Amino acid sequence: MTVIDFIYNQKGAQHELFLQLHSFIMEYENVRADIKYKIPFYSLTKPICYISPLKKGGVEVVFWNALKMSNSLPLLDLKKRKWMAGITYPSIEAVDFEILDSLIREGIANDGTLEIKKGRK
């Protein structure tokens, strides 16, 4: 299964939310998307984040090394996880793409091997 297959298997508002988030994340240079653990993961040399559907609707964008993201950590919810933390979006209208951009940029910076570029590949 590809990430696009996964997205198109989502229902209703989750489908649109996944599609918008996927498109946004894929604009960063060298980011690749793969299905791992049955959900979309985004990585460079190391995982940056993944998008997980929530049972009651919406999605959570979870950052892999969130504890290293000192600037973004106050915006993220650790829940009961030790290293990863996420931000929950109940709908596409709830997504602040400027904040998401800063979260992704900090996640990419934690990779430590590539410079951050956003734009068409």
Side-chain angles (χ1 to χ4, degrees):
M1 174 186 293
T2 67
V3 172
I4 296 300
D5 293 334
F6 175 88
I7 291 169
Y8 281 98
N9 284 332
Q10 302 306 304
K11 305 289 185 229
Q14 272 187 329
H15 166 79
E16 183 63 28
L17 193 49
F18 267 104
L19 188 59
Q20 291 293 322
L21 292 171
H22 172 75
S23 296
F24 186 80
I25 295 169
M26 291 306 296
E27 287 184 11
Y28 293 87
E29 191 170 38
N30 298 317
V31 170
R32 69 176 192 276
D34 298 296
I35 296 292
K36 296 180 183 176
Y37 309 105
K38 300 181 182 180
I39 56 175
F41 270 73
Y42 299 88
S43 58
L44 294 171
T45 58
K46 301 173 187 170
I48 300 164
C49 63
Y50 62 87
I51 304 176
S52 182
L54 300 174
K55 290 179 182 177
K56 294 182 180 181
V59 302
E60 183 180 25
V61 179
V62 180
F63 291 86
W64 195 257
N65 278 320
L67 289 183
K68 293 182 181 178
M69 296 171 60
S70 57
N71 295 331
S72 300
L73 196 55
L75 301 172
L76 302 172
D77 185 359
L78 280 164
K79 295 187 178 174
K80 294 182 180 182
R81 299 174 286 225
K82 292 184 180 182
W83 290 98
M84 295 178 250
I87 187 165
T88 299
Y89 296 115
S91 67
I92 195 65
E93 295 79 24
V95 179
D96 182 329
F97 286 100
E98 286 184 32
I99 290 174
L100 183 58
D101 177 60
S102 69
L103 294 170
I104 293 170
R105 287 178 178 276
E106 192 169 4
I108 290 171
N110 282 324
D111 184 278
T113 59
L114 298 168
E115 77 179 77
I116 302 165
K117 292 183 182 175
K118 186 174 184 213
R120 297 285 173 211
K121 295 180 184 174

